[in-house]
Amino acid sequence: MQKIIKSTWLWIQDIFSDEEDPNEPIYDPVHIASMIVLTLFGISILFWLFWSLLVYKGGLISKIIPFLSVIFTSKTLADFGYEGYPYEMGIFDGWITNVIALLFLCFLVWRIVRILKRQK
């Protein structure tokens, strides 16, 4: 019983001690702040990527079937409301942003795969 009380007392003294353990990792506030900023930046990039790919002006998915219809059938771009690039683009409005997001997503996946393969 006395040994338990003594070990508990030493543990309490260790918690409230001013001495620092040299083996304990030291956290720099700059590292923590930069990690928070980088995490928020990464989340923002992913949000923009998926929003512009899937939501912006109907998303890329809603433009694929009309695009394939124009290529493989007798339909024209005018059938889908396209009158010219800067004026009225119909269903294809926002396709440049959607394609840039798709390219960025492909690049991001390619880089992640290369990093993971290198670590094996």
Side-chain angles (χ1 to χ4, degrees):
M1 184 71 165
Q2 187 176 8
K3 189 172 186 173
I4 295 173
I5 294 174
K6 185 175 182 180
S7 65
T8 306
W9 178 249
L10 290 174
W11 179 72
I12 291 173
Q13 282 181 337
D14 186 43
I15 288 177
F16 295 108
S17 173
D18 287 342
E19 298 176 13
E20 293 189 20
D21 185 11
N23 296 329
E24 186 175 318
I26 299 172
Y27 296 103
D28 188 11
V30 173
H31 292 148
I32 294 173
S34 62
M35 186 53 64
I36 290 171
V37 168
L38 288 174
T39 301
L40 288 173
F41 179 73
I43 290 170
S44 300
I45 291 294
L46 285 175
F47 177 80
W48 175 85
L49 174 69
F50 289 121
W51 178 80
S52 61
L53 183 65
L54 301 173
V55 177
Y56 180 69
K57 303 223 177 175
L60 187 64
I61 296 170
S62 67
K63 295 170 181 67
I64 291 175
I65 293 175
F67 179 70
L68 293 175
S69 296
V70 168
I71 291 177
F72 295 115
T73 65
S74 62
K75 292 194 175 212
T76 63
L77 290 173
D79 294 335
F80 294 104
Y82 184 84
E83 293 178 11
Y85 172 65
Y87 305 110
E88 185 62 40
M89 296 186 61
I91 198 166
F92 298 107
D93 193 20
W95 71 272
I96 295 173
T97 304
N98 299 136
V99 170
I100 289 172
L102 180 66
L103 293 174
F104 187 69
L105 178 67
C106 291
F107 174 75
L108 190 64
V109 168
W110 174 70
R111 287 299 298 165
I112 290 172
V113 167
R114 276 193 63 187
I115 288 170
L116 291 177
K117 281 185 178 180
R118 188 178 298 166
Q119 290 182 357
K120 283 185 179 179

